[in-house]
Amino acid sequence: MSSTLLEVTRAAHEDVERLERLIVKDLQNDPPTTKDGLYQSHRVRNNIDTIISTTEKLVEIYDDKDNARKDEIAALGGQTATGVNVFSAFYDRLKEIREYHRKHPAARVVDANEEYEDLLKEEPVIEFSGEEAFGRYLDLHELFNQYINSKFGAKIEYSAYLDVFSRPHNIPWKLKSTRQYRKYMENLLEYLIYFFQRTEPLQDLDRIFSKLEAEFEEQWANGQVQGWEKQGQENEDDPAQHTMIDLDYYSTVEELMEVGPEKLKEALAVLGLKTGGTVQQRAERLLLTKHTPLEKLDKKHFAKGSHGPRQNGSTAVSQDINSLKQIALVEAKMKKLCDLLSKQTIEQTKENVVKKQALTYEEMEQEREEEETQVDTESDDEDQQIYNPLKLPMGWDGKPIPYWLYKLHGLGQEFKCEICGNYSYWGRRAFERHFKEWRHQHGMRCLGIPNTKNFNEITNIQEAQELWEKIRERQGVNKWRPDLEEEYEDKEGNIYNKKTYTDLQRQGLI
């Protein structure tokens, strides 16, 4: 049956609601492994993107720029060119539905819930290199080669590069004005963004960067960007200070010629001087500005069409500052991504590189196979529900501790004794030992009850009194002889009756 615009709108709203419920259901499941958690995040990200695209289509329908929705609503109401005829519109629509079912008598009703439930089992395709180990480590080898083969870099090991690549503020800003450095930073930022999107798909990177750019503009205006503190506030009236070549490092034309023709040409263009000639002529022309101000140079050295050395130089300087500002912004974004990745990824990458340096190729291959099998068995172990009917505490291995150990130490158990004034004893050993302590003995004397073995495990006053009455009834009142039957304990744990204990105490033996 042909779908009308209103039917398309209804179906779109239904799809959005189903996807929202699907996202909630997916996030309620706790993934057993890191790999499953990454799959879950990408499924949620894909569903969110689908919701966004569907919502954008709904907005276009509701805007109704071509009045198609308005005309369809009017047609459902029976509005025609000759007037309003509701019944005619109703029967035309009914005829269309009957005709559709006559042509398709065996049409099956598709349950959309089954189709959406299958999305929960989907494993999105995520591209990771072998070095990245499914998002656990960074793969910066290509950028490392660019770094060590550049003028702003240094000949260092890959493990040392992982410590310095996130600190571009340590590089002198004069080395950052080259195209080589700009391209390197752009490639580094592009890789980190791509890696971050694969490992953290639910993070809103656009919002993070928009907030960062607002803070960067304020810091740049105040000269507070790390590594670029003086670039936003330097004197723009002196173009010679913004030259891409620092003439203080050169004293002869031969030394300046080693810079190369292209860089000499760029430096001359910044100052508004002629850029033509041989390499030697360009070097001689640029070296003139080392000790001579631009105002005092002969006009023959300046390019044709320029409106004076100062004005042309100021324009070039403004362009140069904007270029440096863009490089500084790329650095700020790169640092922000490094801060987001430093705890879980960069440190792990450093540890992995150091560990690999001490392994042979065979050992690395064996370790990789063990990691792959470990991921498979980890999910199987987590799926098995731990049998713990007694709700015993978990041990270091993630399994319940033995019951005898639990009973021995009484881990997690609190015992209260009303006879001791509702004092709490933690653990089975402490509870059993307290029956012989002074606190419990004093409580029993206050009740007029002997502290014998018959009252062990009795902590309630009423139960103790009832038990004492039963003992008296069974043995008789006159049979109880406190001097011989009431027990006392000395510091060494020896048990005596009251008469013996009193005699020894009088003699000073205890």
Side-chain angles (χ1 to χ4, degrees), residues 240 287-298:
L287 196 61
L288 291 174
T289 62
K290 181 175 182 180
H291 302 292
T292 306
L294 292 177
E295 295 82 359
K296 297 182 180 180
L297 283 178
D298 195 342

Side-chain angles (χ1 to χ4, degrees), residues 488-506:
Y488 285 81
E489 183 180 1
D490 60 7
K491 294 181 180 180
E492 297 179 356
N494 300 317
I495 305 298
Y496 306 97
N497 57 33
K498 182 177 181 181
K499 183 175 182 304
T500 305
Y501 183 84
T502 305
D503 293 340
L504 294 175
Q505 192 177 32
R506 288 174 180 173

Side-chain angles (χ1 to χ4, degrees), residues 42-163:
H42 277 273
R43 283 196 301 267
V44 173
R45 178 75 262 176
N46 294 337
N47 291 334
I48 291 175
D49 292 339
T50 305
I51 291 175
I52 293 174
S53 61
T54 306
T55 306
E56 291 175 351
K57 294 179 181 178
L58 284 173
V59 172
E60 293 179 1
I61 293 174
Y62 284 119
D63 288 341
D64 199 18
K65 295 181 180 180
D66 55 355
N67 293 326
R69 183 170 179 270
K70 183 178 179 181
D71 295 340
E72 187 172 324
I73 295 175
L76 289 176
Q79 295 182 7
T80 60
T82 58
V84 179
N85 192 344
V86 178
F87 293 101
S88 177
F90 171 78
Y91 285 111
D92 289 341
R93 183 62 175 163
L94 180 61
K95 181 180 179 181
E96 181 182 353
I97 295 173
R98 287 177 175 175
E99 184 67 19
Y100 174 83
H101 285 285
R102 186 183 65 80
K103 293 181 179 180
H104 307 280
R108 184 176 64 89
V109 178
V110 179
D111 188 4
N113 291 326
E114 296 180 0
E115 181 180 353
Y116 281 91
E117 289 294 332
D118 292 338
L119 296 177
L120 292 175
K121 304 176 183 178
E122 181 184 0
E123 293 185 358
V125 178
I126 313 172
E127 296 182 356
F128 285 107
S129 64
E131 188 69 23
E132 290 174 338
F134 212 80
R136 286 189 296 173
Y137 311 123
L138 292 171
D139 186 5
L140 299 174
H141 288 85
E142 184 176 349
L143 295 161
F144 166 69
N145 292 329
Q146 295 182 21
Y147 179 82
I148 62 176
N149 293 314
S150 62
K151 294 182 180 180
F152 57 84
K155 304 296 181 181
I156 57 178
E157 296 291 335
Y158 181 64
S159 57
Y161 171 73
L162 294 174
D163 290 323

Side-chain angles (χ1 to χ4, degrees), residues 251-269:
S251 57
T252 62
V253 176
E254 289 75 13
E255 294 177 354
L256 198 56
M257 289 173 61
E258 297 179 357
V259 175
E262 292 299 326
K263 196 152 188 184
L264 289 172
K265 184 177 180 180
E266 292 178 1
L268 291 170

Side-chain angles (χ1 to χ4, degrees), residues 333-350:
K333 292 181 178 179
M334 187 273 295
K335 290 180 182 178
K336 183 63 177 179
L337 289 175
C338 290
D339 292 340
L340 296 174
L341 295 172
S342 60
K343 294 182 179 180
Q344 57 181 359
T345 306
I346 298 180
E347 293 297 331
Q348 292 180 4
T349 305
K350 295 177 187 177

